[in-house]
Amino acid sequence: MKLRKVTAASAAVLALAVAATACGSDNDKDSGSSGGGKKIKIGIKYDQPGLGLKEPDGSFSGFDVDVATYVAKQLGYTPGQIEWVETKSADRENALQRGDVKFIAATYSINDERKQKVDFAGPYLLAHQDLLIKKDSTISKGTDLNGKKLCSVTGSTSAQNVHDTIAPKAQLKEYSGYSECIAALQSGAVDAVTTDDSILAGFAAQDKYKGQFKLAGLKLSNENYGVGVKKSDTATVDKINAALEKMVSDGSWQKAVDANFGPAGYKNEPAPKIGQIVK
């Protein structure tokens, strides 16, 4: 009788140990591995309407969010398995190098300097520096900004580029964020706002601004948006590229463009070819 008690107790301990080991195995899965883990961490912007925006209810919306969600699905993750991580422009390379996220879709323009630190899949969108102006504005070319008030955010080179190369008599106004610039445009405090056309279109598409603004369509620069991946992770780059190609071929890419930018009259470029960078 005594022996049976010890044996039963031992069996119970063994069962608990096995269960704990099994639980530990699940929790130790790589959350960044393609498909196998319970979660995947993806970097996006939280403050760019139409691209990457955290809504008041805690959900996320925007073109970058749609692209990232589609890519994650092709990697084997459901929307519920995605953990969105805010990655501001200045911290994108560090976030990838530290392994904070598996990949980043956050208006991340591909350039030679960044390619020294991270790898890119894509591009998945060709954007251009442009102007956002009021619907009834007569501004139609860069030189029309001479004598006008041009807004961009503090630290951005967009407005300075316009001033230095196109309209030297433009009056530069700097605000802490693009939402402030758009509000200033609405009130008449400035005559135009400049940054990437996709960003401008996203803000203009907000319900409170619909029908008030338009893009000038000047194409002042080429911005090739790519999906940032940790340096030398070629396997993930290849999988994301395949996902992006499928997103274009099945019509999901154009659907996402229309849904997020259409209300601002955004005339998007055709979906770029993978690996094709427009200088």
Side-chain angles (χ1 to χ4, degrees):
M1 188 72 175
K2 183 177 180 182
L3 178 58
R4 283 198 297 273
K5 287 182 178 179
V6 172
T7 302
S10 298
V13 171
L14 178 60
L16 288 172
V18 170
T21 301
C23 290
S25 175
D26 283 344
N27 290 336
D28 289 342
K29 286 180 180 178
D30 178 8
S31 64
S33 63
S34 298
K38 293 176 66 176
K39 292 284 186 179
I40 182 171
K41 294 182 178 180
I42 302 174
I44 58 169
K45 295 287 183 66
Y46 276 20
D47 59 353
Q48 290 184 339
L51 286 153
L53 182 68
K54 185 174 184 178
E55 301 285 0
D57 64 359
S59 63
F60 297 89
S61 66
F63 181 70
D64 284 344
V65 173
D66 290 346
V67 168
T69 301
Y70 188 98
V71 168
K73 181 179 179 180
Q74 299 307 305
L75 296 181
Y77 296 92
T78 65
Q81 291 175 305
I82 298 173
E83 182 177 336
W84 301 109
V85 179
E86 183 177 21
T87 49
K88 297 182 178 180
S89 296
D91 196 45
R92 287 178 296 203
E93 287 82 30
N94 291 332
L96 289 169
Q97 291 168 349
R98 291 191 303 259
D100 295 346
V101 294
K102 186 63 174 177
F103 65 83
I104 293 175
T107 60
Y108 204 177
S109 295
I110 302 171
N111 62 39
D112 291 338
E113 180 181 356
R114 290 171 178 161
K115 286 166 67 176
Q116 299 300 312
K117 301 176 182 178
V118 301
D119 285 340
F120 285 97
Y124 63 89
L125 184 72
L126 176 58
H128 306 283
Q129 184 183 341
D130 199 358
L131 304 176
L132 189 69
I133 52 182
K134 283 192 171 181
K135 202 75 173 180
D136 59 356
S137 174
T138 59
I139 295 173
S140 61
K141 55 186 182 297
T143 53
D144 291 339
L145 290 170
N146 282 310
K148 303 289 187 182
K149 296 174 183 176
L150 176 64
C151 186
S152 193
V153 300
T154 303
S156 169
T157 59
S158 298
Q160 193 64 49
N161 288 341
V162 172
H163 179 272
D164 292 347
T165 62
I166 301 172
K169 295 182 180 179
Q171 302 172 39
L172 303 186
K173 301 291 183 181
E174 291 187 337
Y175 288 79
S176 60
Y178 287 113
S179 57
E180 288 86 352
C181 277
I182 304 300
L185 179 62
Q186 183 184 40
S187 70
V190 300
D191 301 294
V193 181
T194 187
T195 187
D196 295 358
D197 52 7
S198 59
I199 297 174
L200 295 172
F203 275 101
Q206 290 181 288
D207 288 338
K208 61 183 176 181
Y209 295 133
K210 281 182 181 177
Q212 298 184 43
F213 307 127
K214 63 182 179 181
L215 291 163
L218 300 189
K219 297 183 180 181
L220 301 174
S221 71
N222 295 319
E223 306 295 337
N224 300 270
Y225 289 174
V227 177
V229 177
K230 189 173 184 178
K231 192 70 177 174
S232 300
D233 188 357
T234 55
T236 298
V237 170
D238 291 344
K239 291 175 183 177
I240 294 176
N241 280 335
L244 293 174
E245 288 179 334
K246 184 177 180 181
M247 187 178 187
V248 172
S249 65
D250 70 13
S252 298
W253 183 89
Q254 188 62 53
K255 183 179 179 180
V257 169
D258 294 342
N260 291 293
F261 304 132
Y266 180 64
K267 296 178 175 61
N268 65 281
E269 297 279 5
K273 299 294 185 182
I274 298 299
Q276 181 175 304
I277 306 300
V278 179
K279 298 293 186 179

